[in-house]
Amino acid sequence: MSQFDNVSVVKKANVYFDGKCVSHSIVLADGSKKSVGVILPSSLTFNTGAPEIMEVIAGECRVKLAGESEAKTYKAGESFTVPGDSSFDIEVTSTLHYVCHFG
Amino acid sequence: MSQFDNVSVVKKANVYFDGKCVSHSIVLADGSKKSVGVILPSSLTFNTGAPEIMEVIAGECRVKLAGESEAKTYKAGESFTVPGDSSFDIEVTSTLHYVCHFG
């Protein structure tokens, strides 16, 4: 599925790390919250509040979750899960298009 | 209105100018197409295919349409209209959040 249907989209984006990460928040009909976003090639550390699942739509990244010793590579069609109140290091090697699923 | 309701959102973003402009395409219930996006501080020239209305949600820019001699400043709540098959120079002085209305 290349798109979400019947959702609400917040017009103002979320801009992180001087624009290296830009996302738009969406709310599905069942009330669940997600964001659709892009991370430009860079090495960044994200902190999580709520747990989240990062689904890669296009591009490629290497991700090391807090407490893990080794980074893993994720490509289109793959996902990784981040616990709440945690963090992950991400190296984006090819512009990353993602959907972030919360909760 | 800070959000669009009952729309479809394409998961993969549109990335222009090495990521200085990132947008997501949306389709409203009536079939009309728009995009929600961000332009980072920069000076860029955009070409238009279809006519478009650029609505500023947040941030600030100076815009000079093709054939005009002077740039005008646009802020949150303001819009400018670009003819089809034309272009405009935009200088973003504060990260621009926008909605682009097509057709």
Side-chain angles (χ1 to χ4, degrees), chain B residues 16-96:
Chain B
Y16 306 105
F17 299 108
D18 291 326
K20 290 190 181 69
C21 177
V22 171
S23 76
H24 279 84
S25 300
I26 65 177
V27 183
L28 272 64
D30 67 3
S32 61
K33 293 184 177 189
K34 302 183 189 295
S35 67
V36 288
V38 163
I39 307 176
L40 301 174
S42 55
S43 291
L44 303 170
T45 300
F46 284 85
N47 297 302
T48 59
E52 57 189 52
I53 297 170
M54 287 280 286
E55 177 191 355
V56 179
I57 303 301
E60 189 172 320
C61 61
R62 288 181 60 74
V63 173
K64 192 163 79 65
L65 298 176
E68 290 195 349
S69 56
E70 219 168 307
K72 289 180 192 161
T73 299
Y74 296 93
K75 301 177 187 181
E78 300 178 335
S79 298
F80 58 93
T81 300
V82 189
D85 296 317
S86 186
S87 68
F88 62 94
D89 300 329
I90 185 167
E91 180 193 0
V92 172
T93 48
S94 169
T95 297
L96 197 75

Side-chain angles (χ1 to χ4, degrees), chain A residues 26-44:
Chain A
I26 65 178
V27 183
L28 272 64
D30 67 4
S32 61
K33 294 184 176 187
K34 302 182 189 297
S35 68
V36 289
V38 163
I39 307 176
L40 301 174
S42 54
S43 291
L44 302 170

Side-chain angles (χ1 to χ4, degrees), chain A residues 4 14 16 21-24 35-39 46 52-58 80 90 95-102, chain B residues 11-13 24:
Chain A
F4 288 111
N14 314 296
Y16 306 105
C21 177
V22 171
S23 76
H24 279 84
S35 68
V36 289
V38 163
I39 307 176
F46 284 84
E52 57 188 52
I53 297 170
M54 287 281 286
E55 178 191 353
V56 178
I57 303 300
F80 58 94
I90 185 166
T95 297
L96 197 75
H97 298 245
Y98 69 86
V99 174
C100 183
H101 308 259
F102 297 104
Chain B
K11 293 179 183 177
K12 191 174 179 190
H24 279 84

Side-chain angles (χ1 to χ4, degrees), chain A:
Chain A
M1 217 180 46
S2 65
Q3 64 181 45
F4 288 111
D5 294 319
N6 192 25
V7 300
S8 295
V9 184
V10 177
K11 293 179 183 176
K12 190 173 179 190
N14 314 296
V15 179
Y16 306 105
F17 300 108
D18 291 327
K20 290 191 182 68
C21 177
V22 171
S23 76
H24 279 84
S25 300
I26 65 178
V27 183
L28 272 64
D30 67 4
S32 61
K33 294 184 176 187
K34 302 182 189 297
S35 68
V36 289
V38 163
I39 307 176
L40 301 174
S42 54
S43 291
L44 302 170
T45 300
F46 284 84
N47 297 303
T48 59
E52 57 188 52
I53 297 170
M54 287 281 286
E55 178 191 353
V56 178
I57 303 300
E60 190 172 319
C61 61
R62 289 182 59 74
V63 174
K64 193 164 77 66
L65 299 175
E68 290 196 347
S69 56
E70 219 169 305
K72 289 181 193 161
T73 298
Y74 296 94
K75 301 178 186 179
E78 300 178 335
S79 297
F80 58 94
T81 300
V82 189
D85 296 317
S86 186
S87 68
F88 62 95
D89 300 329
I90 185 166
E91 179 192 1
V92 172
T93 48
S94 169
T95 297
L96 197 75
H97 298 245
Y98 69 86
V99 174
C100 183
H101 308 259
F102 297 104

